Amino acid sequence: METLNICVATYKLFEGNGIDVSVIQFAEELARKHNVKVLAVDASDSIKSLDVQRVPANNPLKMRQIAADIDRQKFDVISTHYTPFDLVASLCRTPHFLHDPGVPPAITMRKPADAYLWSLVNTARLVSARKARVVLPISGYLANEFRKKYLYFGKTEILPYCIDFPDSMPEPARLPFEKYVLYVGRHTRYKGVHDLIDIFDDARKEIGDDVHLVTIGLGEPRYVEILKQKAASVGNVHILGFVQDIWPYYTGASVYATCSQWEGQDRPVIEAQYAGKPVVSYNNCSHPEVIVNGTLAKSRSEFKDALVRYLMTKPAGSGGSTEMVKRYAPEKMADSFTEIVKRAVDGNGA
């Protein structure tokens, strides 16, 4: 198989969500060499680079009909990234390759709606993994979690999500200060943004008032309101919400930091290292796999000390930029996926 007919299917495709952006960039890269159609329950109208079809796969009564339609289109492979298409693909004859971006632990689910979604996603993975040709976790950490959580003994291949890095870093964002800690990502409780604000406050007391904390990303309204109140109390904390172009903020940052309790891969950590910035995180989840330039803190005091050290030292060189491109460039993911598909479909190593 040289040119493949590939169906890429996921729940939604919108800006501001790490999984969605990764799937878009993966599909775009695949489309350079293969015929690619993208299926989603909902998607942004701004996605012009891909053939995106909206499909009501979240309606259980239509899943078999959608699966039959996928089979009629004679795809060589269906690549799924989230429920409900994991389940739809399990009903197809088309070879199914199930990407696993992970599901946060149940203890992070604070609302009934979140707990319901958690149960749906995990049930879909439990059922559909048995019928997938290969399960593709985005990190070694998730591969181990997948086997344990779903008692899965089938074929797995670790395939990290890709990042479309800029050819060169832009000028720093225009801010009324120079030295700042940066966090990028969803503002939800398990991401620990409230803890980061508190640790920043401790670090600032050692360094002085010429340091700031900038956070970027969408969030849960109630939690964001709590964060804004805490930010006003601490001072020098700037909660910017969604930002279209985050790269200038990476350029200007002194250090990137996250107190997240759970990450399947942590895309912003990779982006920050590409920008040459050291990263401070806790020594948890997938962080030991992705951090090559920074500190994996084992305690709150270690975290604070690392922030202080990086804020008082000018970043040296390009950090982990070369390694990030080597590991996570879109071409790398697309080519690796193609090789995995060929081995599995041809019966070699399946």
Side-chain angles (χ1 to χ4, degrees):
M1 295 180 291
E2 291 193 1
T3 300
L4 300 173
N5 295 315
I6 301 173
C7 175
V8 176
T10 191
Y11 180 39
K12 292 183 178 181
L13 290 175
F14 287 95
E15 299 169 326
N17 182 286
I19 293 176
D20 296 0
V21 173
S22 296
V23 174
I24 292 168
Q25 293 178 354
F26 169 58
E28 288 174 339
E29 188 63 32
L30 280 177
R32 294 178 184 273
K33 298 179 182 179
H34 306 285
N35 302 318
V36 175
K37 173 176 280 189
V38 179
L39 304 183
V41 174
D42 198 7
S44 170
D45 291 329
S46 65
I47 303 172
K48 307 296 184 183
S49 58
L50 295 168
D51 177 11
V52 180
Q53 180 180 351
R54 293 175 177 83
V55 179
N58 55 335
N59 184 338
L61 299 178
K62 295 187 176 182
M63 284 187 175
R64 289 191 178 278
Q65 175 187 334
I66 293 169
D69 183 59
I70 290 171
D71 285 336
R72 279 194 294 271
Q73 295 182 62
K74 303 295 184 182
F75 292 109
D76 295 302
V77 56
I78 178 169
S79 155
T80 68
H81 300 257
Y82 212 73
T83 194
F85 280 102
D86 295 341
L87 279 177
V88 170
S90 73
L91 301 172
C92 294
R93 296 189 303 273
T94 304
H96 177 205
F97 291 76
L98 192 161
H99 300 255
D100 177 37
V103 185
I107 59 172
T108 66
M109 303 294 120
R110 302 181 65 85
K111 297 185 295 186
D114 292 338
Y116 177 67
L117 178 60
W118 182 90
S119 64
L120 283 180
V121 174
N122 280 288
T123 300
R125 294 271 161 82
L126 180 66
V127 172
S128 57
R130 269 73 182 163
K131 297 186 178 181
R133 291 291 183 95
V134 183
V135 172
L136 303 167
I138 63 175
S139 65
Y141 163 73
L142 284 182
N144 291 330
E145 290 293 304
F146 198 97
R147 295 186 191 103
K148 290 187 295 183
K149 185 190 300 185
Y150 306 119
L151 298 176
Y152 178 73
F153 302 101
K155 178 69 174 177
T156 60
E157 296 264 8
I158 297 169
L159 185 65
Y161 270 153
C162 62
I163 296 175
D164 189 10
F165 300 109
D167 293 333
S168 60
M169 293 302 296
E171 290 296 312
R174 293 184 178 180
L175 297 172
F177 45 84
E178 293 184 1
K179 192 177 294 185
Y180 63 92
V181 179
L182 177 66
Y183 165 78
V184 177
R186 286 198 301 125
H187 289 48
T188 190
R189 186 164 288 274
Y190 81 83
K191 296 282 189 175
V193 186
H194 56 290
D195 289 332
L196 180 58
I197 293 175
D198 287 339
I199 296 173
F200 164 75
D201 188 29
D202 292 340
R204 181 182 164 207
K205 290 172 182 175
E206 289 191 25
I207 300 172
D209 286 341
D210 64 337
V211 295
H212 294 252
L213 171 62
V214 175
T215 77
I216 293 174
L218 300 173
E220 299 169 357
R222 289 184 180 179
Y223 183 62
V224 171
E225 187 58 36
I226 292 171
L227 294 178
K228 288 181 177 179
Q229 293 174 11
K230 182 181 284 288
S233 175
V234 169
N236 285 18
V237 178
H238 313 272
I239 300 173
L240 304 187
F242 174 73
V243 171
Q244 184 72 35
D245 184 6
I246 60 173
W247 289 104
Y249 292 88
Y250 285 125
T251 302
S254 303
V255 56
Y256 182 87
T258 175
C259 290
S260 182
Q261 301 170 30
W262 182 92
E263 296 291 341
Q265 181 177 334
D266 209 335
R267 179 186 179 98
V269 160
I270 298 167
E271 293 172 339
Q273 290 175 100
Y274 175 78
K277 308 304 176 181
V279 171
V280 181
S281 81
Y282 283 116
N283 187 17
N284 62 358
C285 53
S286 62
H287 288 136
E289 295 179 59
V290 297
I291 294 177
V292 300
N293 175 33
T295 298
L296 294 163
K298 296 181 176 64
S299 66
R300 182 189 177 102
S301 61
E302 281 190 14
F303 197 111
K304 185 266 297 179
D305 290 345
L307 276 189
V308 170
R309 183 169 67 253
Y310 291 128
L311 285 168
M312 297 183 69
T313 306
K314 186 176 181 179
S318 59
S321 58
T322 301
E323 185 66 21
M324 296 303 103
V325 173
K326 181 180 176 181
R327 294 186 188 185
Y328 305 110
E331 185 176 5
K332 166 74 171 176
M333 182 182 180
D335 288 348
S336 295
F337 175 75
T338 303
E339 288 303 314
I340 291 168
V341 167
K342 288 181 178 180
R343 288 199 302 271
V345 173
D346 292 344
N348 299 320

